[in-house]
Amino acid sequence: MGTGATGTAIRAAALELFAARGYEGTTMADIGAAVGIRGPSLYKHVASKQDLLVELMTTTMDGLLELQRVALAGTADPVERLRRAVDAHVRFHARHRLEAFVGASEMRSLAEPHRGTVLGKRAEYERSFRRLVEEGVAAGRFRVPSARLASYAILDLGMGLATWYREEGELSENEVVWQQTEFALRLVGAG
Amino acid sequence: MGTGATGTAIRAAALELFAARGYEGTTMADIGAAVGIRGPSLYKHVASKQDLLVELMTTTMDGLLELQRVALAGTADPVERLRRAVDAHVRFHARHRLEAFVGASEMRSLAEPHRGTVLGKRAEYERSFRRLVEEGVAAGRFRVPSARLASYAILDLGMGLATWYREEGELSENEVVWQQTEFALRLVGAG
DNA sequence: TCGATCGGCTAACGACTGCTAGCCATCGGA
DNA sequence: TCCGATGGCTAGCAGTCGTTAGCCGATCGA
């Protein structure tokens, strides 16, 4: 059944190229060259260029949602719930910066119906964060002018990592995660 | 000398299309259609498609830097300085969401040497924000684990507007600006 | 009135794109 | 040993793109 390793290598190369040059700016020949084969040979492993993007974006959103689900399971305290959700959010963006960057900037290149699906997952993710803030406000633990704006701010905090975070940077993943979580809690007035 | 209005209309149409479909995903025919002419006719008004992007991105960064300069002029108090810088930052992103979005996501489509120029301006803008945080820390008015991370967080807060802010939204520009400024001050522990 | 300029247009070039067709070497299992 | 599957390859199709060339009607100052 072959090694199957090439399929993974192709997806990894596509991710890196989509992040660096954009979906439209990346050719199948580019992706092929990155794994040592010609463009047309790619079609022995993947159905189409669009398929590469679809799979990349849906698995990214699924991973993010799953991580959040796990982080929130079995915890009732609003402050602790937000802390865990932000931890998962930031950690995911640190570990998958390229996926996050492509996910945010290439939504337009995603064809229907997948575009709608991914947008739906993203809306669900955001709604979940807003609810976390509202829970904290209702419990008298947070103090914010607008739960919507606060949740957007927290989401943006983590998504920003996609731009500036580097694994080789001077700050470790844990340090960044801790500080961003601290920022998020200060932001909602739970410091 | 003609009206000159067409040149402006072309730039406005290009901005909207670049934001919606991306630079590579936008054709000269698209831009022409948006202003009621054919693709090739555009060359009576602009030098090239790349020129459209170059001008868009440099004027955006210049506007952002100039606004920051004005905001900081003649104020010494670190808290007030950060407050004004964040106000300008957020207000700019609210008023020029499309420019900000294109500026952030189409850097890759910008050819050298303009890419280097714009990146330099952006680095200067970021450095200025970091210095503001460091000033506040040095004066004992802010309390942050890392000035670098705090300044990134503040920058991301405003840049996020590019994604979710809408003029027709329920929150007015002033409300959003005020709340984001509040968030930024909480974030650096100056609440 | 006349001639230049302005700003549209179509035709077309040359390069490039995603993808298909079809060929062939390699190699593991029967 | 041989046969089929695997996974490379080149050639090429059918389009699209940015851009140039060259044409022509309208407008306007002299």
Side-chain angles (χ1 to χ4, degrees):
Chain A
M1 212 175 279
T3 64
T6 316
T8 316
I10 290 172
R11 261 159 272 179
L15 168 63
E16 225 153 317
L17 286 165
F18 288 169
R21 310 180 192 179
Y23 177 78
E24 305 270 5
T26 301
T27 73
M28 289 302 268
D30 290 337
I31 301 174
V35 296
I37 63 176
R38 304 297 168 118
S41 302
L42 288 170
Y43 290 85
K44 294 284 163 79
H45 302 276
V46 302
S48 70
K49 186 187 172 189
Q50 176 72 207
D51 245 42
L52 242 19
L53 184 65
V54 168
E55 195 189 347
L56 198 159
M57 296 193 64
T58 55
T59 62
T60 296
M61 273 314 303
D62 285 343
L64 197 51
L65 280 166
E66 177 58 20
L67 219 65
Q68 187 186 58
R69 211 168 286 130
V70 170
L72 292 179
T75 311
D77 179 64
V79 177
E80 188 56 23
R81 278 168 70 79
L82 184 66
R83 188 196 304 278
R84 292 191 187 191
V86 174
D87 185 298
H89 179 66
V90 175
R91 206 173 289 276
F92 183 90
H93 281 79
R95 289 194 189 163
H96 302 97
R97 354 182 326 259
L98 298 187
E99 286 91 331
F101 183 75
V102 172
S105 62
E106 295 297 348
M107 193 69 69
R108 55 177 160 236
S109 300
L110 202 60
E112 294 294 357
H114 307 288
R115 191 168 182 276
T117 307
V118 172
L119 279 175
K121 287 175 195 285
R122 195 161 73 143
E124 182 190 340
Y125 185 73
E126 291 179 3
R127 229 176 304 122
S128 176
F129 254 100
R130 175 148 28 149
R131 227 177 298 119
L132 281 175
V133 174
E134 287 166 348
E135 281 174 20
V137 170
R141 308 287 298 275
F142 301 160
R143 184 178 37 87
V144 293
S146 155
R148 190 162 72 86
L149 246 62
S151 63
Y152 279 152
I154 293 174
L155 284 164
D156 291 337
L157 229 62
M159 287 191 283
L161 291 229
T163 304
W164 54 262
Y165 181 76
R166 292 296 178 278
E167 299 171 34
E168 332 83 51
E170 49 190 87
L171 275 72
S172 75
E173 178 186 302
N174 277 331
E175 283 172 324
V176 171
V177 168
W178 182 83
Q179 293 195 28
Q180 296 259 20
T181 311
E182 176 70 18
F183 287 154
L185 291 176
R186 284 185 183 189
L187 215 141
V188 295
Chain B
M1 214 176 279
T3 63
T6 315
T8 315
I10 290 172
R11 261 160 273 180
L15 169 62
E16 225 152 318
L17 285 164
F18 288 169
R21 310 181 192 179
Y23 178 78
E24 305 271 4
T26 302
T27 73
M28 290 301 268
D30 290 337
I31 301 174
V35 297
I37 64 177
R38 304 298 167 117
S41 303
L42 288 169
Y43 290 85
K44 292 286 162 78
H45 303 277
V46 302
S48 69
K49 186 186 173 189
Q50 175 74 207
D51 245 42
L52 242 20
L53 184 66
V54 168
E55 196 189 346
L56 198 160
M57 296 193 66
T58 55
T59 63
T60 297
M61 273 315 302
D62 286 344
L64 197 52
L65 279 166
E66 177 59 19
L67 219 65
Q68 187 185 58
R69 211 169 286 128
V70 169
L72 293 179
T75 311
D77 179 65
V79 177
E80 188 57 22
R81 278 168 70 79
L82 184 65
R83 188 197 304 279
R84 292 192 186 191
V86 174
D87 185 298
H89 179 65
V90 175
R91 205 172 290 276
F92 182 90
H93 281 79
R95 290 195 188 163
H96 302 97
R97 352 181 330 256
L98 298 187
E99 287 92 330
F101 183 76
V102 172
S105 62
E106 294 297 348
M107 193 69 69
R108 55 177 161 235
S109 300
L110 203 59
E112 295 294 356
H114 306 287
R115 190 168 184 277
T117 307
V118 173
L119 278 176
K121 287 175 195 286
R122 196 161 73 142
E124 181 190 340
Y125 185 74
E126 290 179 3
R127 229 177 303 122
S128 175
F129 254 99
R130 175 151 24 152
R131 227 178 298 119
L132 281 175
V133 175
E134 287 167 347
E135 282 174 19
V137 170
R141 307 287 296 275
F142 301 159
R143 184 177 37 87
V144 293
S146 155
R148 190 161 72 85
L149 246 61
S151 63
Y152 279 152
I154 294 174
L155 284 164
D156 290 337
L157 229 60
M159 289 191 282
L161 291 228
T163 304
W164 55 262
Y165 181 77
R166 292 296 178 275
E167 299 171 34
E168 332 84 52
E170 50 190 86
L171 274 73
S172 74
E173 177 187 303
N174 277 331
E175 284 173 323
V176 171
V177 168
W178 181 82
Q179 293 195 28
Q180 295 260 16
T181 311
E182 176 69 20
F183 287 154
L185 290 176
R186 285 186 183 188
L187 213 142
V188 295

